[in-house]
Each structure stands twice: as structure tokens, then as C-alpha cells.
């Protein structure tokens, strides 16, 4: 999850045994892409939660 100024920018839920998801690969790919896109937006203002 990436949060900046109290707003969720991106979230990928990996619910099955840690690095696995129960969602379709296409859905996870879109969400992972959102994380990549949000990284430069966040800079140092972001909280990274694992």
C-alpha cells in the first residue's frame, strides 16, 4: 500500500501465503503498475506499509 497525504495511491493485496494473490493475474498486474506509477509521486511524503 502507498499512502500520501492521507490518500491511498495504490494497493496490491497479497492474501495467499504472502506473495500470492487470489485475484486474476491481469488484476494484480494493473495494481502493481499503480504502485510503480505512485512511487515517484510519493517521494518522501509516502508511507510504505507491508
Amino acid at each position: 500500500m502507498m499512502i500520501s497525504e492521507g490518500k491511498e495511491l495504490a494497493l496490491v493485496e497479497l492474501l495467499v501465503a504472502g506473495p500470492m494473490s487470489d485475484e486474476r493475474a491481469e488484476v494484480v498486474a494493473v495494481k502493481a503498475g499503480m504502485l510503480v506509477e505512485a512511487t515517484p509521486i510519493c517521494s518522501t511524503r509516502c508511507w510504505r506499509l507491508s
Side-chain angles (χ1 to χ4, degrees):
M1 173 185 291
M2 290 191 135
I3 299 173
S4 179
E5 298 176 3
K7 180 181 173 189
E8 180 184 300
L9 299 179
L11 170 67
V12 178
E13 296 175 301
L14 304 174
L15 303 175
V16 182
M20 296 172 58
S21 177
D22 59 351
E23 295 182 299
R24 296 182 51 81
E26 296 86 357
V27 173
V28 175
V30 168
K31 290 180 177 183
M34 291 172 67
L35 280 173
V36 171
E37 290 176 15
T39 300
I41 295 169
C42 282
S43 185
T44 58
R45 300 174 309 175
C46 227
W47 301 341
R48 291 189 183 106
L49 304 176
S50 55

